[in-house]
Amino acid sequence: MGKKGKKEKKGRGAEKTAAKMEKKVSKRSRKEEEDLEALIAHFQTLDARKTQIVETPCSPPSPRLNASLSAHPEKDELILFGGEYFNGQKTFLYNELYIYNIRKDSWSKVDIPNPPPRRCAHQAVVVPQGGGQLWVFGGEFASPDGEQFYHYRDLWVLHLATKTWEQVKDYVYYNDVYAFDLDTFTWSKLCPSGVGPSPRSGCQMSVTPQGSVVIYGGYSKQRIKKDVDKGTPHCDMFLLKSEEGREGSWAWSRINPSGVKPTPRSGFSVAVAPNHQTLLFGGVCDEEEEERLEGDFFNDLYFFDATRNRWFAGQLKGPKTEKRRRRRGRRAGPDGAGEQEQACGGAGAPAPLEVVTEVAAEDGTVVTIKQMLCAPHVAGQPQPEDEDSPEEASSPVVEPSPRSNAMLAVKHGVLYVYGGMFEAGDRQVTLSDLYCLDLHKMEEWKALVEMDPETQEWLEETDSDEDSDQAEGAEGGEEEEEEEEEDSAEDGSSEDGGEGRLVVARPAVRERGLGCL
């Protein structure tokens, strides 16, 4: 091999070594961050033991740096919070709160339930609202050896009048509009006239045949009381229309379509049908309580006709054999019962058929999917002689299971639905199936790729025990060191092995409303 070949081989080897090293460093960084998060969670468990506000006269605080010192807006007091101390071997972090009385030249320590986690180098500011408030943002947590660091981005407020801490979980919704020029590759902000949608997430957009933009639905949260948020799925619809004779000018108007409208939901998906109608599929409707979230998932279809300003429910005709059977049944009916009564939901309609599908997760947990489908035949009703066999007539209808956040696409008049998710208990089941529906015929769904249960993976969160040296180094005093020894017993995790359903209850922790266009 010549020198050139050796150099090339050496270069490729260096690239591989660098890639391996980068991967190793990235993995180590993730592990270190997880270790610090677990340590912070452990300290918060200790802080949770504090159930009363206790203010105790004390000697001056221990040495520290990178704490915050703020002047009380109404009293002659200084407020000291947090900080760090390094003794040459270990780093100590604090979340203690001290008050210095300027007139009396005295210190007091204030123990308050549920304080912010230990930190240093945070930002703090005092405002006079509500009897005085101390706002704390961000900061840093360090491992006892000072080699690993975790950076906060949380926001807290100390209500000075009541001496209570509150974490402010911010969420910001927008309702601004931007346009992207495909020729110049530039963004521009639009300032439409009129009243547009309220700020929200997860709304869906589609274009009308006239070139206007339709905005439908969305999701937002509101604070209903302290530490309690409530989500709201929006069902309103707006039209963003270019103003005639005024280039670059747009106007908002709220529209109220007639017809059969979709029920309230979020996480639905939309696509444009061949006739320029907007197609809506699936989604989830959440019923929220303070600590629980119950969701009802959908797999129904709706169409919005912008020209007629009307919603239509998507009704499948069924396969041709089913259609022919219904016509013959109508003629043979003794009372001349029409086809509508034989269809699902008619006056003499058969009871819905419950189809149960079981999906086994990788860990052995069985998720049960229950669907209520129209039964094509009920015993006791007359059947034409040339009707298909009962086995064929009673076969389950093929269709996508109820889901939210699915991906939609329309090609050659065929709707394709891929993936999405539903929830079973605390588990999120992510789908990988693919279905199609001919939008011209509207007869039946076809399964192109069915979900493979073997691809399902769900890893339960576990709490890891911390090394005693780590815990000791990051503690703020001897009292908490003793508490940690009591807490060093094993942590466990439990797994919910119950059946999952499409109507599920779970902790109210997830932001809703993201969808696909």
Side-chain angles (χ1 to χ4, degrees):
M1 181 182 291
K3 291 183 178 180
K4 183 178 179 181
K6 290 183 179 179
K7 288 181 179 179
E8 290 178 351
K9 185 175 181 181
K10 185 177 180 180
R12 289 195 298 269
E15 290 176 0
K16 285 174 127 183
T17 302
K20 288 182 179 179
M21 182 62 68
E22 183 179 355
K23 185 176 180 181
K24 186 176 181 180
V25 170
S26 177
K27 185 176 181 180
R28 184 192 309 153
S29 298
R30 288 197 301 270
K31 179 64 167 61
E32 291 175 351
E33 184 173 349
E34 291 172 356
D35 291 342
L36 290 181
E37 288 177 346
L39 191 57
I40 294 170
H42 171 74
F43 296 151
Q44 286 182 292
T45 301
L46 299 180
D47 290 332
R49 293 180 175 181
K50 302 173 182 178
T51 58
Q52 296 181 343
I53 301 172
V54 180
E55 186 169 358
T56 308
C58 65
S59 56
S62 60
R64 64 192 63 197
L65 74 159
N66 288 328
S68 60
L69 184 65
S70 308
H72 196 292
E74 297 179 355
K75 300 180 180 179
D76 292 333
E77 294 178 347
L78 302 180
I79 306 167
L80 179 70
F81 173 72
E84 64 175 317
Y85 172 70
F86 180 62
N87 65 2
Q89 292 185 349
K90 292 182 180 180
T91 299
F92 297 82
L93 276 296
Y94 305 101
N95 64 345
E96 301 164 325
L97 184 72
Y98 289 94
I99 304 293
Y100 175 69
N101 189 301
I102 298 175
R103 292 190 176 185
K104 296 181 179 180
D105 186 26
S106 63
W107 287 91
S108 62
K109 182 180 179 183
V110 186
D111 290 316
I112 301 175
N114 301 314
R118 291 158 172 75
R119 67 189 62 204
C120 64
H122 51 276
Q123 300 295 318
V125 63
V126 172
V127 296
Q129 281 85 351
Q133 297 173 343
L134 172 67
W135 289 84
V136 174
F137 174 77
E140 182 180 84
F141 180 86
S143 61
D145 58 10
E147 296 294 329
Q148 304 172 29
F149 302 92
Y150 181 88
H151 296 95
Y152 297 102
R153 53 181 180 181
D154 50 355
L155 180 65
W156 294 77
V157 58
L158 173 64
H159 300 280
L160 298 175
T162 59
K163 292 185 172 60
T164 55
W165 281 107
E166 176 186 0
Q167 183 178 6
V168 181
K169 299 179 180 179
D170 280 346
Y171 40 81
V172 180
Y173 298 100
Y174 298 92
N175 63 347
D176 46 0
V177 184
Y178 289 81
F180 183 75
D181 192 308
L182 297 175
D183 295 324
T184 62
F185 284 21
T186 56
W187 285 99
S188 60
K189 184 175 182 178
L190 305 183
C191 298
S193 60
V195 179
S198 60
R200 63 191 62 191
S201 69
C203 58
Q204 295 292 7
M205 306 171 62
S206 64
V207 180
T208 69
Q210 295 76 27
S212 300
V213 179
V214 172
I215 308 289
Y216 175 72
Y219 183 89
S220 63
K221 284 185 177 180
Q222 294 181 343
R223 177 66 54 86
I224 58 176
K225 60 181 180 179
K226 182 181 178 181
D227 297 330
V228 178
D229 299 328
K230 184 175 179 61
T232 301
H234 297 282
C235 302
D236 47 3
M237 182 174 277
F238 292 83
L239 186 68
L240 182 61
K241 186 177 180 180
S242 177
E243 295 185 309
E244 296 182 6
R246 300 181 60 187
E247 185 177 355
S249 297
W250 296 78
W252 282 115
S253 62
R254 182 166 180 168
I255 56 179
N256 186 23
S258 59
V260 182
K261 302 177 183 179
T263 56
R265 66 188 68 191
S266 59
F268 55 86
S269 308
V270 300
V272 178
N275 52 6
H276 301 290
Q277 293 181 349
T278 299
L279 179 152
L280 181 150
F281 171 80
V284 58
C285 179
D286 289 328
E287 293 293 336
E288 293 190 41
E289 298 178 1
E290 289 190 6
E291 300 295 334
R292 301 291 292 174
L293 191 68
E294 185 172 309
D296 191 3
F297 290 79
F298 303 100
N299 63 346
D300 47 2
L301 280 172
Y302 289 89
F303 294 87
F304 173 68
D305 190 327
T307 304
R308 301 166 63 182
N309 193 28
R310 187 178 182 88
W311 280 104
F312 299 90
Q315 300 287 346
L316 300 188
K317 304 173 185 177
K320 290 183 178 180
T321 54
E322 180 72 13
K323 184 177 179 181
R324 183 167 58 250
R325 184 163 59 248
R326 285 179 179 173
R327 285 201 302 266
R328 291 170 182 166
R330 177 183 58 186
R331 288 196 297 268
D335 298 327
E339 178 182 343
Q340 182 64 31
E341 292 184 359
Q342 298 298 323
C344 186
L353 174 67
E354 183 179 66
V355 177
V356 180
T357 305
E358 291 187 348
V359 177
E362 193 175 52
D363 60 1
T365 302
V366 176
V367 176
T368 303
I369 305 175
K370 293 190 176 183
Q371 297 174 251
M372 302 303 295
L373 307 175
C374 298
H377 171 67
V378 172
Q381 289 188 348
Q383 279 187 283
E385 294 180 358
D386 59 346
E387 188 168 309
D388 296 330
S389 63
E391 290 79 7
E392 181 180 347
S394 61
S395 60
V397 177
V398 174
E399 62 179 0
S401 62
R403 64 192 66 194
S404 68
N405 302 90
M407 283 63 73
L408 304 188
V410 176
K411 185 68 173 179
H412 300 311
V414 178
L415 169 66
Y416 294 88
V417 176
Y418 174 78
M421 59 82 73
F422 68 89
E423 292 167 337
D426 291 337
R427 292 172 177 269
Q428 175 177 302
V429 180
T430 304
L431 303 169
S432 60
D433 47 5
L434 177 63
Y435 287 81
C436 71
L437 173 66
D438 191 319
L439 296 175
H440 295 297
K441 298 179 179 178
M442 289 295 291
E443 291 180 352
E444 60 180 340
W445 287 97
K446 293 183 179 179
L448 302 179
V449 177
E450 295 185 353
M451 185 178 66
D452 182 5
E454 297 299 327
T455 63
Q456 290 298 312
E457 179 184 39
W458 185 260
L459 303 179
E460 295 289 345
E461 294 183 359
T462 59
D463 296 330
S464 58
D465 295 333
E466 297 303 322
D467 182 76
S468 58
D469 292 338
Q470 271 197 329
E472 179 183 355
E475 295 289 354
E478 296 180 357
E479 177 182 350
E480 289 180 350
E481 289 178 6
E482 296 175 359
E483 292 177 346
E484 184 199 354
E485 291 178 0
E486 297 175 3
D487 264 14
S488 62
E490 61 181 24
D491 293 331
S493 63
S494 62
E495 181 174 325
D496 181 9
E499 281 192 347
R501 299 177 184 275
L502 288 184
V503 178
V504 297
R506 59 203 181 280
V509 297
R510 188 188 305 277
E511 167 77 6
R512 284 287 189 196
L514 301 181
C516 305
L517 172 59

